[in-house]
Amino acid sequence: MRESFGNMGDVTGFDSQRWIDEHGDALYRFALVRVRDANAAEDLVQETFLAALQGARRESGEAAERRWMIGIIKHKIVDHFRRMAREPLREDHPANLPAADGDFIADGHWNPEGAAIHGWPDKPDELLERKQFWDTLAVCLDKLPPRTAQVFTLREMDEMDTDEICRLLCLTHTNLGVMLYRARKQLRNCLSVHYFGQAEEGTPL
Amino acid sequence: MSWLAHLFPTCQEMSRLLSDTMDRRLPWHVRMRIRIHLRMCEVCKGYHHQLILLRSLLRRSPAQHSKQGSTRQAGLSAEAKERIRRALDSSHS
């Protein structure tokens, strides 16, 4: 094994081991929840560090360094999505509203048997610290079709506007609208059943 | 009756419109129809609230999901760390 401290005293003060220890896991999890592929997430972390090595950073401090690297990995993730967009997946080819949607009955009313509105809190605060909630959310995100999950995370987690997403991933606004619509409804249903509805139904994941 | 159907979207149509409102500003007459429906329909009102809640949770912090230690997403493996370190060192030297 090569001695990693060899780099500590050089002019740039670069220490690969410190970067990996301080930011590796956080960047990996940031990427994993978005790309949902462990190998791809590892590669993205490596690409991010390599890009960071090339760039000059003005701010100092661990938090600023983390923000800087998160900024880089966001771009790397979009590049990854674009590479994937060249291989279309049939499973979530965006079409119009499906004729049969189990959430609604024939006249367009909500299916009374469907996932309900009960059990959801008024405010997000009480959920933020609940590990079980985030675990359930991760499982529910995993269940979305891959392309749908990509656009959903870009829109809802990374606050990218729809024009930008359409441009980057070569989607029409109509297709994007359908994908976001489905993602939101599916995620809401999944959380209703597996997290908020647990008190009454106790459905295990 | 078609003008009436147009004036009063069904809940299924509402679910799509409510999703659209999360992404862009809809024309005023559509917003008006949405508002009328929401005033009458508890389920759609609840659904709208759920979409907003979901967004505020997902946006609370970009690092939220990396901080919340989930057992399924522990972190980089030792092998991956070693591989990345070697790649960094060889690129830097």
Side-chain angles (χ1 to χ4, degrees):
Chain A
M1 204 205 256
R2 216 172 107 195
E3 178 58 67
S4 65
F5 301 107
N7 279 323
M8 271 184 96
D10 72 9
V11 272
T12 57
F14 173 68
D15 174 7
S16 57
Q17 196 64 50
R18 183 184 67 78
W19 271 14
I20 294 166
D21 290 343
E22 282 179 8
H23 307 297
D25 289 340
L27 290 173
Y28 175 72
R29 286 192 288 262
F30 186 90
L32 187 62
V33 74
R34 289 164 174 79
V35 304
R36 307 183 307 159
D37 172 342
N39 291 324
E42 286 174 6
D43 289 347
L44 286 165
V45 174
Q46 181 169 321
E47 282 178 38
T48 298
F49 284 143
L50 288 172
L53 206 49
Q54 309 295 323
R57 188 174 50 89
R58 312 220 179 277
E59 300 165 274
S60 58
E62 194 184 326
E65 196 168 76
R66 171 71 55 83
R67 276 197 303 278
W68 174 56
M69 289 189 181
I70 290 283
I72 297 172
I73 206 165
K74 275 187 179 177
H75 286 102
K76 298 286 172 196
I77 289 168
V78 170
D79 289 343
H80 173 77
F81 288 166
R82 295 174 74 173
R83 284 195 295 273
M84 287 179 74
R86 293 192 200 121
E87 310 150 23
L89 291 154
R90 285 181 64 238
E91 68 211 86
D92 53 358
H93 178 74
N96 282 323
L97 287 183
D101 180 335
D103 289 316
F104 301 96
I105 52 177
D107 65 359
H109 276 95
W110 291 94
N111 184 347
E113 307 283 311
I117 51 170
H118 305 293
W120 287 63
D122 288 337
K123 289 188 162 41
D125 311 81
E126 55 185 281
L127 290 170
L128 290 172
E129 301 302 321
R130 298 235 177 109
K131 188 177 167 301
Q132 206 204 337
F133 171 76
W134 295 105
D135 284 349
T136 312
L137 184 62
V139 171
C140 290
L141 280 170
D142 266 355
K143 290 182 178 179
L144 296 176
R147 301 280 291 283
T148 304
Q150 288 172 9
V151 297
F152 181 77
T153 50
L154 287 177
R155 176 78 193 116
E156 296 293 0
M157 283 187 200
D158 298 330
E159 305 185 37
M160 196 180 276
D161 71 45
T162 51
D163 290 342
E164 182 85 349
I165 298 173
C166 286
R167 193 174 61 76
L168 288 170
L169 300 180
C170 304
L171 290 166
T172 64
H173 277 91
T174 312
N175 286 352
L176 180 64
V178 174
M179 290 167 98
L180 289 171
Y181 164 70
R182 288 189 187 158
R184 287 177 177 127
K185 193 150 68 66
Q186 188 179 327
L187 208 59
R188 170 264 198 183
N189 288 352
C190 184
L191 287 171
S192 277
V193 171
H194 296 294
Y195 189 83
F196 298 112
Q198 254 181 357
E200 300 104 74
E201 298 171 45
T203 315
L205 275 172
Chain B
M1 282 302 270
S2 74
W3 66 270
L4 204 65
H6 201 64
L7 194 60
F8 299 109
T10 65
C11 295
Q12 187 164 15
E13 288 156 358
M14 276 294 288
S15 70
R16 176 61 204 269
L17 291 173
L18 290 173
S19 175
D20 288 347
T21 62
M22 304 296 288
D23 302 316
R24 63 197 164 93
R25 191 171 167 83
L26 299 175
W28 71 269
H29 58 280
V30 182
R31 294 204 308 275
M32 190 66 79
R33 274 182 249 145
I34 291 173
R35 215 171 301 152
I36 293 168
H37 186 113
L38 287 180
R39 198 159 299 167
M40 303 183 300
C41 178
E42 280 301 308
V43 187
C44 284
K45 209 167 107 185
Y47 184 69
H48 190 214
H49 170 70
Q50 288 167 332
L51 296 187
I52 293 166
L53 190 75
L54 211 47
R55 168 169 289 178
S56 72
L57 283 163
L58 288 162
R59 287 186 179 179
R60 240 346 139 83
S61 145
Q64 186 70 44
H65 312 281
S66 54
K67 275 186 205 136
Q68 295 287 334
S70 157
T71 44
R72 297 178 342 102
Q73 304 170 2
L76 285 169
S77 66
E79 299 85 60
K81 285 186 180 175
E82 179 55 25
R83 194 169 60 243
I84 291 170
R85 190 183 64 74
R86 265 186 270 123
L88 280 174
D89 287 348
S90 69
S91 145
H92 187 247
S93 56

